[in-house]
């Protein structure tokens, strides 16, 4: 009986590793990394988005993001490790950055 429980339990643990696919994980990470979704400012597919319109010194201005699904990996990586005005600093791990990049490249092809 004990053996069966141990076997079932280890099977469950192993099955759990593949519980969500890489694609699902990548898309979830993009939608909710550290609680602030990239979608808010970069759309679902990493296309350009108008975030705000405001007036500064009596001139109309816009805060707009550029397309982020067409960057070279080095540039994407550098951007996520630097301070960007208007964007939260996430402190993502290298593998998370890779996964976000993977997700965005797939959006471009759609
Ligand atoms: C609150 C808004 C906001 C959120 C949330 C946000 N960003 Fe940004 N992001 C910006 C702004 C503003 C810029 C600077 C304008 C630009 O270059 O697009 C920027 C720039 C970037 C750039 C550099 C673009 C370039 O051309 O060099 C990358 C890459 C990027 N964001 C990725 C992400 C990813 C991935 C996430 C989620 C982990 C994210 N951003 C979440 C606002 C945001």
């Amino acid at each position: 009986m004990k053996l069966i429980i141990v076997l079932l339990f280890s099977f469950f643990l192993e099955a759990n590793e593949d519980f969500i696919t890489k694609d699902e994980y990548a898309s979830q990470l993009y939608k909710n990394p550290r609680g602030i979704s990239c979608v808010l400012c970069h759309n679902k597919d990493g296309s350009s988005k108008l975030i705000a319109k405001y007036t500064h010194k009596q001139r109309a201005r816009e805060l707009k993001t550029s397309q982020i699904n067409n960057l070279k990996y080095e540039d994407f990586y550098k951007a996520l490790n630097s301070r960007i005005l208007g964007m939260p600093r996430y402190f993502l791990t290298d593998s998370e950055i890779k996964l976000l990049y993977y997700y965005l490249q797939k959006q471009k092809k759609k």
Side-chain angles (χ1 to χ4, degrees), residues 88-103:
R89 184 91 204 260
Y90 284 95
F91 300 101
L92 299 163
T93 65
D94 286 3
S95 56
E96 285 173 326
I97 294 177
K98 244 185 226 156
L99 210 56
L100 289 173
Y101 187 78
Y102 166 83
Y103 170 81

Side-chain angles (χ1 to χ4, degrees), residues 10 12 24 26 39-40 42 47 50 52 62 67-68 74 77 80 88 95 97 108-110:
S10 59
F12 176 74
E24 283 168 342
V39 179
L40 286 175
H42 295 285
S47 54
L50 179 65
E62 294 184 338
Q67 188 180 352
I68 59 162
E74 298 80 50
Y77 182 87
L80 284 168
S95 56
I97 294 177
K108 188 173 60 177
K109 284 172 207 137
K110 276 181 189 165

